[in-house]
């Protein structure tokens, strides 16, 4: 029992740090959106997404270097599933927001195309250098699309009243953003590391730990940002963050791991034929009805959450 005390304490500290970090992070990001005139969906899909995907990048890269390829690929795809299955579903249930189709559609469709491309690339059991180049080109297009959207938004919003911005406020907000991101990442690491220890002590199989604790743990920055954004009524930040994070997980992290492993990253059949299709199913439920109706509806959130629960049940049953 004594061996559980320290992990429980560190796990709790991690939870507190990640909550406080998420609060500061979302406040700073919302201010950036308001002061620049760039829509929150775009801010979430770019700056926030890059910051919140750092844990997945670090974990997958280190796992690849250690030869744990299954953890590297499972973490990246599992994070995509967790982002939509938990973060987006809860956000949709709490705030069934109206979307701007012109801003939302390109990013959402890029996410689906990247997922489908990853499925095609993995059919031969690995991600090659050619596959990595294709995925990285898609990431480059996504970044270009966001830059263009940001330019258009900044130009069209020139007449809007924006918050005061002087050197003192700017310094404070930048520190708030950086320290908030750092808190999220540090808190996520504490939760993942000590969550793994607790799971191991309690006798949970290692494969299940990798598919659940690691994938969900490294997605905590996105999940915390999503929940905090909803609480602060900035749901667009949450949706943009999840879409951007998913694209980065698939189009940057996996190619990076492939290059680290010498240009060929092995990918399991279960990942190709179960995990990626599950991710595509979640995306279809979240995106297609929204593009038609121009808004999210609560039934979509409940449907995704139910499917995610069924997926976890499958993982625990099979493993």
């Amino acid at each position: 029992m004594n061996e559980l005390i320290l992990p429980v304490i560190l796990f709790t500290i991690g939870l507190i740090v990640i909550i406080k970090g998420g609060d500061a992070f979302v406040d700073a990001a919302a201010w950036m959106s308001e002061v620049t005139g760039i829509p929150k969906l775009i801010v979430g899909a770019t700056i926030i997404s890059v910051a919140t995907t750092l844990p997945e990048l670090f974990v997958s890269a280190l796992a690849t270097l250690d030869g744990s390829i299954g953890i590297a690929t499972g973490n990246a795809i599992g994070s995509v599933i967790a982002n939509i299955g938990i973060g987006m579903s809860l956000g949709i249930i709490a705030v069934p927001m109206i979307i701007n189709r012109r801003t939302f559609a390109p990013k959402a469709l890029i996410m689906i195309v990247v997922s489908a491309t990853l499925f095609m690339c993995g059919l031969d059991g690995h991600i090659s250098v050619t596959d990595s180049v294709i995925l990285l080109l898609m990431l480059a297009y996504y970044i270009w699309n966001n830059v263009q959207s940001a330019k258009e938004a900044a130009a069209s919003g020139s007449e809007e009243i924006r918050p005061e911005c002087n050197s003192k406020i700017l310094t404070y907000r930048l520190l708030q953003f950086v320290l908030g991101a750092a808190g999220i990442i540090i808190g996520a690491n504490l939760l993942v590391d000590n969550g793994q220890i607790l799971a191991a002590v309690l006798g949970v199989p290692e494969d299940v730990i990798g598919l659940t604790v690691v994938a969900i743990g490294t997605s905590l920055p996105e999940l915390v940002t999503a929940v905090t954004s909803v609480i602060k009524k900035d749901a667009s930040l949450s949706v943009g963050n999840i879409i951007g994070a998913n694209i980065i997980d698939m189009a940057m992290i996996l190619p990076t791991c492939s290059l680290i492993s010498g240009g060929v990253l092995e990918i399991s059949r279960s990942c190709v034929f179960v995990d990626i299709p599950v991710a595509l199913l979640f995306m279809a439920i979240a995106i297609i009805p929204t593009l038609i109706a121009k808004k999210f509806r609560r039934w979509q959130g409940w449907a995704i959450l139910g499917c995610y629960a069924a997926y976890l049940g499958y993982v625990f049953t099979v493993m």
Side-chain angles (χ1 to χ4, degrees):
M1 201 64 172
N2 290 335
E3 59 196 3
L4 290 175
I5 295 176
L6 183 59
V8 168
I9 291 173
L10 293 176
F11 188 90
T12 305
I13 291 172
L15 185 62
I16 294 170
V17 170
I18 204 171
I19 290 171
K20 296 302 293 182
D23 191 55
F25 189 67
V26 170
D27 275 349
W31 178 84
M32 289 179 185
S33 172
E34 292 168 2
V35 80
T36 58
I38 299 172
K40 292 176 182 178
L41 179 73
I42 298 173
V43 173
T46 51
I47 300 171
I48 296 179
S49 296
V50 171
T52 57
T53 49
L54 289 177
E56 287 101 313
L57 178 59
F58 291 154
V59 169
S60 289
L62 289 173
T64 303
L65 287 170
D66 290 340
S68 302
I69 304 301
I71 289 179
T73 55
N75 173 50
I77 303 302
S79 294
V80 171
I81 294 172
N83 287 342
I84 304 177
I86 303 176
M88 186 174 283
S89 67
L90 293 178
I92 294 172
I93 291 169
V95 184
M97 56 180 275
I98 296 173
I99 58 106
N100 181 326
R101 187 185 287 170
R102 184 179 176 186
T103 304
F104 176 79
K107 294 157 187 55
L109 293 176
I110 289 171
M111 179 176 67
I112 293 175
V113 171
V114 169
S115 303
T117 302
L118 183 60
F119 173 78
M120 296 298 294
C121 290
L123 287 175
D124 57 2
H126 66 270
I127 297 175
S128 65
V129 173
T130 302
D131 297 334
S132 297
V133 170
I134 292 171
L135 290 168
L136 288 170
L137 285 173
M138 289 184 170
L139 177 65
Y141 174 76
Y142 170 72
I143 293 171
W144 176 84
N145 178 268
N146 274 292
V147 170
Q148 295 302 115
S149 297
K151 287 180 179 178
E152 292 176 10
S156 63
S158 57
E159 300 300 319
E160 295 179 1
I161 299 175
R162 299 177 184 173
E164 181 184 358
C165 179
N166 54 43
S167 58
K168 185 176 180 179
I169 294 174
L170 179 61
T171 302
Y172 168 74
R173 290 297 188 181
L174 288 175
L175 278 173
Q176 187 181 36
F177 184 86
V178 172
L179 292 176
I184 289 173
I185 294 168
I186 292 169
N189 286 332
L190 284 171
L191 283 175
V192 171
D193 292 344
N194 292 283
Q196 287 177 295
I197 293 171
L198 289 171
V201 171
L202 295 172
V204 180
E206 186 176 340
D207 289 342
V208 174
I209 293 171
L211 285 170
T212 55
V213 176
V214 175
I216 295 174
T218 55
S219 296
L220 280 174
E222 290 94 326
L223 302 181
V224 170
T225 301
V227 173
T228 308
S229 298
V230 169
I231 292 171
K232 293 179 176 291
K233 304 188 185 303
D234 285 324
S236 293
L237 279 176
S238 169
V239 172
N241 173 38
I242 289 171
I243 290 174
N246 286 348
I247 292 171
I248 292 170
D249 279 338
M250 294 181 288
M252 184 178 78
I253 293 177
L254 289 176
T256 298
C257 292
S258 177
L259 296 175
I260 291 173
S261 64
V264 178
L265 182 71
E266 299 297 326
I267 186 166
S268 69
R269 287 182 60 82
S270 63
C271 183
V272 176
F273 294 106
V274 177
D275 301 332
I276 297 177
V278 166
L280 280 165
L281 172 64
F282 288 8
M283 291 175 194
I285 296 172
I287 303 305
I288 296 174
T290 303
L291 290 177
I292 295 171
K294 296 185 181 180
K295 67 177 292 184
F296 287 104
R297 299 180 186 276
R298 283 194 171 89
W299 71 261
Q300 292 170 268
W302 287 115
I304 296 169
L305 193 60
C307 289
Y308 184 67
Y311 169 75
L312 288 181
Y314 168 82
V315 169
F316 277 95
T317 301
V318 171
M319 302 306 292

